Amino acid sequence: MQYQNQERPTGSLVQLNEALELQVIEMAPNGSKKIQVRKKTWKPKTRTGCVTCRIRRVKCDEAKPACDRCSSTGRRCDGYATPTPPLSHQVALPHQRSPLFVAPSEFQLGSIDEQQAFFFYRQHSAFELSGFFDSSFWQFEVLQAAHSNPAVRHAVVALAAMHRVFVVSHMPVVPDDASDKQLRFALQQCNRSIQEVIKSPARKTIADKINMMTCCILFDCLACIQGHQSIAFDHLRSGLKILKEVDDELAAGIQDGTAHPVSLSSLRTMFVDMDTQVRGVMSDDDLVSWEPQPKRDPIVHQTAFVAFSQAHSYLEAIFNDLLAFVQDMDVRPPTSDTQVQAARVEFRRLQSQYEAGNRLLEEFLSLHPATVSTESRIGVGLIQTQVRILLIAQKYCEERKEIDWDILEPEFQEILSLACELLGADPNCTLSSGAVPEEYYNFPADRASTLPTMFARPVFSSGSKLLSGLWLASTRSRNPTMRRKAIGLMLEYPRREGVWDSILAGRIAWELNMFEESALNGDLCEFPEQSARNFPQTSNIPECNRVRDVLITYTGLRRADVEFRSKKQYEEGERGILRRFAW
């Protein structure tokens, strides 16, 4: 998926206050647009699972006295009593153990709202933001920084309050509703954080810049959870610039002996992962003008993994480095023999490191099979599968051959199987016959409260690689059944993973599929009427009909124009078909 962004703020931290003030807006109601809600055709969900699994909306194995699904992921199984329905502003989340952090007695929060938000972060947000793996940054370091720095503290409170609104709204983004008290509170806390940053000394130490980078990450997540992708890009850009400043200072021998709870290594890992996310949803033109890739910590060969977190970090670093390499080859292909040889050497290095990591992981799992949760195993499996896809695809490019996507069907099938297991979804799930994309969350944001809570609870994490895998399967698989299954999972189980939005990605992938299956001699066809879009699915699609480009131009905070171009249209420089999306 490629994004082209317009109308961005400049991105400097001093100007973030102005950018964030734009986030409380009133959206004009559209009374003429009818809300369409998809009728489920799947099997009814079981009502006999444990309380925790029912709250999480995952399939329970119903083992007694505690189910294995909860026990294997480190959660407390709350038994099989019927839970009391949550109130409109109570949060129905599984019980989580608190991070190993106890606020000192002098750590005072200004109001009951701040105390509740901070508690919510410790109990829930820290874990959900971490994704499927433990995260020192989210579960420990940010909390310690919040104790010592008011800018970080207000940003944490803002993110927690926003996350709570997100959870109870049952929407894939937080609605822009100026009358929502919790939303106003979150934005007020965000503005207080920005004011604290502005008050900091003009000549900033490395410790000051670490606080600023931490705030940039928190602001980025605040924008992502609201669906304001273009603003999220600006926060990330600010953080990347500050990280480069710090790296330049360290290279010049400037040191700062001030101890800081957030390590530069943790920040670098976060920025590398977020930068990889953003590059995956940018157009080639935007990539050229984007910030240089952040400096990466070296991927260290190990004699053995002593903890599963090491295996995850190692393989995720391989994924990020490989994806960055592939993206760079697309934007700046080698033009000389020397550059071609250097690219081959780098590709072989990444391939060798991946193979070494796989061997080390197999050795670890053979020795410590009971120490790894099911979710963590699946999460690493998703990373491994996507790395294999990238390696195979890049191998074709290196040999200057057209990629044979059919040989990757086992990898796409594995992504879908892992995703179903992780989400607790029906393995036979797919799009309903006759359904159209507009039936999913396609209505004005100010009418969001009228949506029945029929979809799974929305989830937000800073990144987990689940959505990138489903996007690959939904757009690259040559099997229409598998494509529809991937799209169904993105739409039925709303998730936000950083800038990735499962609802937007699912609807774009659905349109892409319909265009490909109805194209004529490389020309994508318009759909003048909704009924004309219900055509039989087919796998016999000529290559010239395949969509080569998905170019997204943001036209507002939650609006975008999406242009689809077939391979033929791309090669001949023709315009494609334009669709407008709002979320």
Side-chain angles (χ1 to χ4, degrees):
M1 182 165 26
Q2 298 178 332
Y3 285 70
Q4 181 175 345
N5 303 292
Q6 295 178 345
E7 301 180 7
R8 295 182 183 173
T10 60
S12 72
L13 279 172
V14 176
Q15 293 168 321
L16 289 182
N17 192 21
E18 178 181 348
L20 285 164
E21 286 174 354
L22 296 174
Q23 297 185 37
V24 180
I25 61 175
E26 293 186 11
M27 303 184 69
N30 184 356
S32 62
K33 182 177 280 188
K34 181 180 179 182
I35 298 177
Q36 293 178 308
V37 180
R38 174 176 176 262
K39 301 295 184 181
K40 279 194 175 182
T41 58
W42 297 2
K43 297 177 181 178
K45 296 184 187 294
T46 178
R47 299 298 178 186
T48 56
C50 76
V51 172
T52 304
C53 286
R54 289 175 63 186
I55 291 174
R56 296 179 63 222
R57 301 193 180 194
V58 298
K59 187 174 182 180
C60 180
D61 54 53
E62 301 185 33
K64 303 293 192 324
C67 78
D68 294 335
R69 178 131 197 151
C70 291
S71 302
S72 67
T73 57
R75 292 182 171 84
R76 187 184 76 178
C77 180
D78 289 327
Y80 295 87
T82 302
T84 302
L87 299 176
S88 59
H89 281 284
Q90 288 180 336
V91 181
L93 288 172
H95 176 79
Q96 298 273 21
R97 63 180 178 83
S98 296
L100 301 178
F101 168 83
V102 178
S105 58
E106 66 269 18
F107 178 42
Q108 298 293 328
L109 292 163
S111 66
I112 295 297
D113 287 338
E114 290 180 21
Q115 293 173 24
Q116 290 178 341
F118 197 79
F119 177 80
F120 184 84
Y121 180 89
R122 292 183 60 196
Q123 293 296 111
H124 303 296
S125 300
F127 297 95
E128 189 158 299
L129 283 160
S130 301
F132 309 125
F133 309 96
D134 287 335
S135 168
S136 174
F137 177 82
W138 290 115
Q139 294 169 238
F140 302 101
E141 297 179 25
V142 165
L143 286 165
Q144 296 284 6
H147 161 62
S148 60
N149 185 269
V152 175
R153 180 163 63 252
H154 289 303
V156 168
V157 169
L159 180 57
M162 189 77 74
H163 186 214
R164 185 178 182 184
V165 176
F166 175 74
V167 168
V168 301
S169 70
H170 287 277
M171 289 289 295
V173 293
V174 172
D176 282 322
D177 182 3
S179 66
D180 189 295
K181 179 182 176 182
Q182 283 294 315
L183 179 58
R184 291 201 311 273
F185 170 73
L187 294 173
Q188 288 165 1
Q189 289 291 313
C190 191
N191 284 333
R192 290 183 68 181
S193 175
I194 293 169
Q195 293 302 321
E196 291 291 343
V197 171
I198 294 173
K199 288 193 306 185
S200 62
R203 186 175 179 83
K204 294 177 174 58
T205 65
I206 290 178
D208 293 329
K209 292 178 180 179
I210 285 176
N211 283 323
M212 292 169 67
M213 287 188 284
T214 303
C215 287
C216 284
I217 291 174
L218 296 169
F219 294 157
D220 178 279
C221 290
L222 274 163
C224 287
I225 211 169
Q226 291 180 275
H228 299 164
Q229 277 93 329
S230 58
I231 292 179
F233 292 169
D234 289 304
H235 295 316
L236 176 57
R237 185 189 289 269
S238 295
L240 291 172
K241 287 180 178 179
I242 300 171
L243 179 60
K244 186 177 185 306
E245 289 177 11
V246 171
D247 285 338
D248 290 343
E249 290 177 5
L250 293 174
I254 300 175
Q255 299 292 328
D256 184 353
T258 306
H260 199 282
V262 180
S263 70
L264 188 59
S265 176
S266 291
L267 283 171
R268 190 180 308 282
T269 299
M270 292 294 300
F271 279 118
V272 166
D273 192 53
M274 295 165 73
D275 180 68
T276 303
Q277 283 181 17
V278 169
R279 289 173 180 273
V281 295
M282 275 188 173
S283 68
D284 290 349
D285 290 342
D286 286 329
L287 281 173
V288 171
S289 61
W290 185 243
E291 297 301 307
Q293 292 181 5
K295 179 182 175 183
R296 285 158 157 74
D297 287 332
I299 303 174
V300 181
H301 283 286
Q302 312 214 13
T303 54
F305 293 132
V306 298
F308 189 75
S309 59
Q310 289 183 336
H312 162 238
S313 297
Y314 183 99
L315 291 168
E316 185 170 59
I318 294 293
F319 174 88
N320 287 333
D321 283 6
L322 180 58
L323 186 56
F325 172 79
V326 171
Q327 292 164 347
D328 195 52
M329 289 296 100
D330 286 341
V331 178
R332 303 175 185 86
T335 56
S336 67
D337 291 342
T338 302
Q339 291 176 336
V340 169
Q341 185 59 31
R344 287 176 178 171
V345 170
E346 176 64 8
F347 178 68
R348 297 290 182 271
R349 181 185 71 83
L350 293 168
Q351 188 176 37
S352 174
Q353 287 187 318
Y354 171 68
E355 292 168 353
N358 272 348
R359 289 193 298 270
L360 292 173
L361 177 59
E362 289 174 3
E363 292 171 7
F364 176 85
L365 292 176
S366 67
L367 295 173
H368 311 282
T371 63
V372 183
S373 70
T374 301
E375 284 186 347
S376 296
R377 282 177 184 261
I378 296 173
V380 163
L382 284 166
I383 295 173
Q384 290 175 299
T385 307
Q386 291 177 73
V387 169
R388 290 202 304 273
I389 292 173
L390 290 172
L391 288 172
I392 294 171
Q394 185 59 31
K395 181 67 174 175
Y396 272 92
C397 293
E398 189 179 74
E399 297 174 353
R400 300 182 183 279
K401 295 180 181 178
E402 191 74 28
I403 300 175
D404 182 6
W405 292 103
D406 288 330
I407 69 171
L408 289 168
E409 290 303 293
E411 278 70 24
F412 295 134
Q413 182 60 61
E414 184 172 356
I415 286 175
L416 295 178
S417 297
L418 292 172
C420 284
E421 187 176 358
L422 195 60
L423 298 171
D426 186 337
N428 299 315
C429 71
T430 188
L431 297 174
S432 298
S433 176
V436 292
E438 289 83 356
E439 293 178 353
Y440 288 86
Y441 296 105
N442 188 48
F443 43 82
D446 61 334
R447 295 170 63 187
S449 60
T450 64
L451 177 73
T453 57
M454 60 180 294
F455 298 97
R457 179 182 78 77
V459 173
F460 177 74
S461 71
S462 61
S464 70
K465 309 299 187 292
L466 173 58
L467 291 186
S468 59
L470 289 175
W471 171 260
L472 275 173
S474 67
T475 58
R476 297 304 184 189
S477 171
R478 295 315 192 227
N479 184 322
T481 301
M482 291 173 61
R483 284 186 168 210
R484 284 162 169 76
K485 183 173 183 177
I487 295 169
L489 288 171
M490 285 193 283
L491 296 176
E492 192 75 17
Y493 293 85
R495 298 179 66 85
R496 300 195 66 84
E497 294 181 358
V499 295
W500 281 87
D501 174 0
S502 72
I503 302 301
L504 181 60
R507 291 186 59 198
I508 291 174
W510 199 341
E511 296 277 356
L512 181 149
N513 276 257
M514 291 190 294
F515 281 132
E516 288 191 349
E517 293 175 17
S518 63
L520 299 172
N521 299 321
D523 294 322
L524 305 184
C525 301
E526 287 278 11
F527 303 102
E529 296 180 3
Q530 194 176 82
S531 59
R533 306 170 76 173
N534 300 325
F535 45 83
Q537 65 188 48
T538 177
S539 57
N540 299 319
I541 300 173
E543 282 302 312
C544 66
N545 290 352
R546 297 289 182 184
V547 172
R548 168 62 173 79
D549 258 0
V550 179
L551 194 64
I552 300 183
T553 304
Y554 287 103
T555 57
L557 282 179
R558 287 184 177 166
R559 288 177 173 80
D561 289 344
V562 182
E563 182 182 355
F564 299 83
R565 288 198 296 174
S566 69
K567 184 177 178 181
K568 174 191 171 186
Q569 291 169 330
Y570 174 82
E571 291 173 348
E572 296 180 359
E574 299 176 355
R575 294 294 303 271
I577 301 297
L578 192 67
R579 284 278 179 267
R580 287 188 165 86
F581 290 85
W583 60 93

